[in-house]
Amino acid sequence: ALSIFEEARKVQAPHTISFNACITACEKAGQWQLALALLNGMARQKVDRDAITFNACISACARLGHWQQAFILKEEMALLKLDRSAITYGACLKAFSENGQWERALSTKDDMSSAELKLEAIIFNACISSCATAGRWEGALGLLKKMHLEKVDRTAVTFGACIAACGKGKNWQRALCLMADLAAEKLEGVSTLWRSGRWMLGAKLAHDPR
């Protein structure tokens, strides 16, 4: 895509669509620095940057865990009055959740709610995972309860992330209670969690070492 882009530049001025195609190619190839270079090049050449441009750059940064840059781009979209969609927030949440940025993840979820975007299980799961990475079991359980109140389907992934949060926070009793709740829910994927349940024996022993 980049070679075609360079050839096209020789015969006509680049435009938003051609830049977006190249940035999207960079995103898929994990070339986040090149994606940002193209984004900045658009600004220098006074080429309009749209939501597609920024979403591709945010996704490129999020893919490799550069959550700070993803956050900056999300905020820049607001300054430029570009619509931030579920794609925008979802990419940021991925970066936040995988890097333990639980406060930013929760703030992003609240932004989605304010923008009247539908909060599906995958959004809550990402927030719960960010809490788990940071060992914030209280936050994870709060989100689990909120899903129940808002009638959002809770999956095996949801409970698994909550259990992981409790385990990391050494709240073994709550982790075991969640495991029991998970079994009662009869959710798809529960058997996988049970098969990998060696952690549960450790939890029991840590909670009651006798």
Side-chain angles (χ1 to χ4, degrees), residues 105-180:
L106 295 183
S107 176
T108 299
K109 180 187 74 66
D110 291 341
D111 287 344
M112 291 184 71
S113 183
S114 298
E116 299 183 351
L117 294 171
K118 186 177 181 181
L119 298 178
E120 297 181 339
I122 191 170
I123 300 300
F124 278 96
N125 289 349
C127 290
I128 291 172
S129 293
S130 69
C131 290
T133 302
R136 305 291 300 191
W137 63 269
E138 304 98 325
L141 295 184
L143 289 164
L144 183 69
K145 182 177 180 180
K146 193 173 183 66
M147 290 179 75
H148 176 69
L149 293 174
E150 296 186 5
K151 294 181 171 54
V152 178
D153 290 337
R154 301 183 295 181
T155 66
V157 173
T158 311
F159 280 94
C162 285
I163 290 167
C166 291
K168 190 163 186 178
K170 298 184 179 179
N171 190 336
W172 308 114
Q173 186 174 13
R174 176 60 70 178
L176 292 171
C177 287
L178 284 170
M179 201 68 182

Side-chain angles (χ1 to χ4, degrees), residues 17 25 38 50-51 59 83 103 117 122 144 177 179 181 187:
I17 294 175
L38 288 167
D50 57 18
S59 294
D83 286 337
E103 290 176 303
L117 294 171
I122 191 170
L144 183 69
C177 287
M179 201 68 182
D181 291 342
L187 299 170

Side-chain angles (χ1 to χ4, degrees), residues 19 37-49 76:
F19 267 108
L38 288 167
L39 178 72
N40 294 330
M42 291 176 74
R44 286 194 302 272
Q45 297 178 49
K46 295 182 169 51
V47 177
D48 289 337
R49 301 178 296 174
E76 188 174 353

Side-chain angles (χ1 to χ4, degrees), residues 75-87:
E75 295 304 299
E76 188 174 353
M77 288 182 74
L79 292 174
L80 295 173
K81 294 182 169 50
L82 295 174
D83 286 337
R84 297 183 291 182
S85 65
I87 294 173

